[in-house]
Amino acid sequence: MAGRLEGKVVIVTGAARGMGAAEARLFASEGAAVVLADVREQLGIAVADEIAAAGGLARFVAMDVAHEDDWSRGGSIVNVSSVMAFLGGEGGGAAAYGASKGALTTLTKGAAMELGRDRIRVNSLHPGNVDTPLALEAAGPPGSAARQAMARMSPFEREGASEELAAAALFLISDESSFMTGSEMVVDGGYAIH
């Protein structure tokens, strides 16, 4: 049976670690030729090499999405936002973070309108608390008081795994979501229902 992404080329930005790396691994395992893009060159090359060693097709390119000349849109675009695009927060720059993720959500909708005529779908993925290197840097190691408090915000009382978000992103870039554009997919373990 062919993989869900057989014959497709997928570009994953932020692919050197965390959710981006998990997405790249999953997409390659589903048959995609994966282009890993990130500013963290050594980490990105290591993930691409790991995928290739497992029999997948992967290539790393150094790219900074803040520089428009480094990239250009096509096929299906998934912007990784956050559940904080819909929620308020306090302390630690939560207001600025939420505002930036809200802006990305609005950008997604505008891009979906503009690119639809070219048959390019644009959706956003909104994770809650996920066990990533960024979570480690921001809130300490798993089991720390801050991480436990965040995990308790989910009815499941745990953080998400990068692989769970990668599976959601796989759906959004595959043909299974062919009638979705401008949509927000929330994968937050119920964090936002409070």
Side-chain angles (χ1 to χ4, degrees):
M1 180 174 160
R4 293 159 69 185
L5 300 177
E6 201 70 40
K8 295 187 182 294
V9 175
V10 178
I11 301 170
V12 180
T13 60
R17 62 183 193 165
M19 289 186 293
E23 291 167 3
R25 290 180 186 106
L26 178 62
F27 300 163
S29 74
E30 288 287 342
V34 181
V35 178
L36 295 89
D38 205 300
V39 295
R40 295 173 182 88
E41 192 166 343
Q42 290 181 328
L43 291 173
I45 291 170
V47 175
D49 289 347
E50 174 192 332
I51 291 169
L57 295 173
R59 176 180 174 210
F60 175 80
V61 295
M63 183 176 88
D64 185 344
V65 295
H67 299 123
E68 190 173 342
D69 291 342
D70 281 1
W71 60 280
S72 61
R73 287 187 173 92
S76 178
I77 297 170
V78 178
N79 290 322
V80 179
S81 183
S82 168
V83 71
M84 295 307 292
F86 315 119
L87 306 172
E90 62 179 313
Y97 180 79
S100 70
K101 295 305 184 176
L104 181 58
T105 302
T106 304
L107 173 68
T108 297
K109 293 179 181 302
M113 292 294 295
E114 290 183 20
L115 299 174
R117 68 182 64 87
D118 296 322
R119 305 220 186 278
I120 298 172
R121 298 180 297 109
V122 188
N123 294 290
S124 57
L125 180 61
H126 298 262
N129 296 318
V130 180
D131 183 14
T132 63
L134 184 58
L136 178 66
E137 294 167 9
S144 68
R147 297 278 290 270
Q148 287 179 351
M150 289 174 18
R152 284 192 297 272
M153 294 298 293
S154 163
F156 300 140
E157 296 187 357
R158 70 172 179 86
E159 295 175 304
S162 293
E163 293 76 13
E164 291 171 305
L165 274 295
L170 171 62
F171 170 74
L172 289 174
I173 66 167
S174 75
D175 291 338
E176 293 168 16
S177 63
S178 61
F179 199 55
M180 288 180 68
T181 195
S183 297
E184 302 153 356
M185 179 179 277
V186 177
V187 184
D188 68 348
Y191 180 94
I193 62 176
H194 289 284

